[in-house]
Amino acid sequence: MSFSASVLLVLAGTGIAVGASVLQHADPDTCFGTSRRPPLTAPIRLIYACRRDDVLMAADIAKWCAAETGRARLQRCLVAVSAPSTGQDVAAAPFATSSASHGLPELAMLPNVDVVDGRLTQELLRSEVAPLQALGPCRVVVSGPASFNGAVREMLVTGGVASDAITILAA
């Protein structure tokens, strides 16, 4: 992987776990190596797509957004929240009977977080990619269900992101 001036994480569902892995390398307390200098110092942004009844790691996202400079920090976060499961899917949703807010109000209060209703769109993706591309090469890491990964890859390439700047990780 070549030098990247910034990193955009586009994660869905359980793919949010990738966020913790990437941010580990941006914090001197958790990064690998003896120098305690994090290998990842580029600005990191997150787009997290989830269903309202299946928001994962909201407290962690809030912690990453509120962290001080030089720690595992998200410069900005966009959470795209789609409708909860209905019908047959309700039984498949692991936390369908738990609280509906799942930390979203706390996230929405942070100045560098936007919570939007609906699925990730080409326009939302473009609005997050453009400022990062202005800094120089941007590495985009995508992780979620296979259908999400494919759709995001197509939106990114259509939006002008080079294929070799996109890393797809299966969730």
Side-chain angles (χ1 to χ4, degrees), residues 18-69:
V18 169
S21 297
V22 169
L23 286 164
Q24 175 176 327
H25 298 288
D27 193 312
D29 291 336
T30 58
C31 68
F32 295 111
T34 57
S35 70
R36 301 308 264 179
R37 254 184 57 214
L40 182 56
T41 58
I44 303 168
R45 289 184 174 208
L46 168 66
I47 297 174
Y48 177 43
C50 58
R51 289 190 325 257
R52 185 162 304 282
D53 62 340
D54 199 16
V55 179
L56 303 173
M57 297 180 67
D60 293 300
I61 295 169
K63 179 183 77 174
W64 298 328
C65 288
E68 62 189 56
T69 302

Side-chain angles (χ1 to χ4, degrees), residues 25-122:
H25 298 288
D27 193 312
D29 291 336
T30 58
C31 68
F32 295 111
T34 57
S35 70
R36 301 308 264 179
R37 254 184 57 214
L40 182 56
T41 58
I44 303 168
R45 289 184 174 208
L46 168 66
I47 297 174
Y48 177 43
C50 58
R51 289 190 325 257
R52 185 162 304 282
D53 62 340
D54 199 16
V55 179
L56 303 173
M57 297 180 67
D60 293 300
I61 295 169
K63 179 183 77 174
W64 298 328
C65 288
E68 62 189 56
T69 302
R71 307 312 261 168
R73 175 171 172 70
L74 289 173
Q75 179 187 58
R76 177 167 160 64
C77 179
L78 172 72
V79 182
V81 184
S82 59
S85 294
T86 58
Q88 295 177 9
D89 294 338
V90 171
F95 307 109
T97 58
S98 63
S99 168
S101 71
H102 297 287
L104 289 174
E106 293 82 4
L107 279 174
M109 290 176 23
L110 295 170
N112 56 341
V113 177
D114 283 330
V115 177
V116 297
D117 286 325
R119 295 184 180 272
L120 180 61
T121 64
Q122 178 80 41

